[in-house]
């Protein structure tokens, strides 16, 4: 979102768990398109609240997994948020070789881009 719509939206990434490192394959395939993830860290919805991010100020949560969708819907009990579930392929564990794994991550990345452009329009930058 930050690459495709710079300065137009405020975006934060969060998930169900924050105890995981950002996946190296995700870092590699995002780097291919000029998005740096190597300095990012995984954070949860709870981390956002703990760090002072006001979840009620968001308009939309896009969930990419059933688990994150459940947690996002739970938040709607307390905050007025729209939640969309985008069923994106989970590339974790797909492929035997490094190149096959990267191809799976590229497919997931490209699915996200396609959904993002369908929902929000063409890239602005």
């Amino acid at each position: 979102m930050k690459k495709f719509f710079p300065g137009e939206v405020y975006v934060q990434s969060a998930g169900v768990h924050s105890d995981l490192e950002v996946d190296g394959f995700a870092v590699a395939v995002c780097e291919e398109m000029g998005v740096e993830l190597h300095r990012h860290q995984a954070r949860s919805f709870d981390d956002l609240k703990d760090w002072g991010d006001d979840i009620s100020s968001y308009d939309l949560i896009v969930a990419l997994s059933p688990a994150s969708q459940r947690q996002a819907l739970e938040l709607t009990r307390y905050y007025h948020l729209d939640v969309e579930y985008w069923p994106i392929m989970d590339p974790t564990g797909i492929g035997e070789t490094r190149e096959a794994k990267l191809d799976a991550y590229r497919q997931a990345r490209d699915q996200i881009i396609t959904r993002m452009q369908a929902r929000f329009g063409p890239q602005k930058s």
Side-chain angles (χ1 to χ4, degrees):
M1 285 295 293
K2 290 175 184 175
K3 177 180 177 56
F4 283 68
F5 304 97
E8 293 186 30
V9 294
Y10 179 72
V11 178
Q12 283 294 355
S13 177
V16 177
H17 304 288
S18 62
D19 57 348
L20 305 172
E21 294 290 320
V22 175
D23 189 295
F25 290 111
V27 171
V29 300
C30 286
E31 192 171 278
E32 292 174 351
M33 57 180 284
V35 175
E36 292 186 25
L37 293 182
H38 69 276
R39 288 179 285 159
H40 288 242
Q41 67 182 80
R43 63 187 146 229
S44 68
F45 289 112
D46 289 335
D47 290 335
L48 289 179
K49 286 190 288 187
D50 292 345
W51 297 343
D53 213 343
D54 183 4
I55 293 174
S56 68
S57 67
Y58 290 92
D59 298 316
L60 174 67
I61 294 176
V62 175
L64 301 180
S65 73
S68 63
Q69 180 189 28
R70 280 190 299 277
Q71 186 157 6
L73 289 172
E74 180 66 22
L75 289 172
T76 64
R77 291 177 46 193
Y78 307 103
Y79 306 106
H80 179 72
L81 300 167
D82 289 331
V83 177
E84 292 182 11
Y85 173 56
W86 295 358
I88 303 299
M89 173 189 76
D90 181 357
T92 309
I94 296 176
E96 296 296 321
T97 66
R98 174 174 169 71
E99 196 55 39
K101 290 178 184 296
L102 286 170
D103 283 342
Y105 277 78
R106 287 180 188 114
Q107 287 178 33
R109 175 199 65 199
D110 294 346
Q111 286 178 350
I112 293 169
I113 291 169
T114 298
R115 291 296 299 253
M116 193 171 38
Q117 289 176 331
R119 173 66 166 84
F120 301 107
Q123 182 175 353
K124 304 289 181 177
S125 63

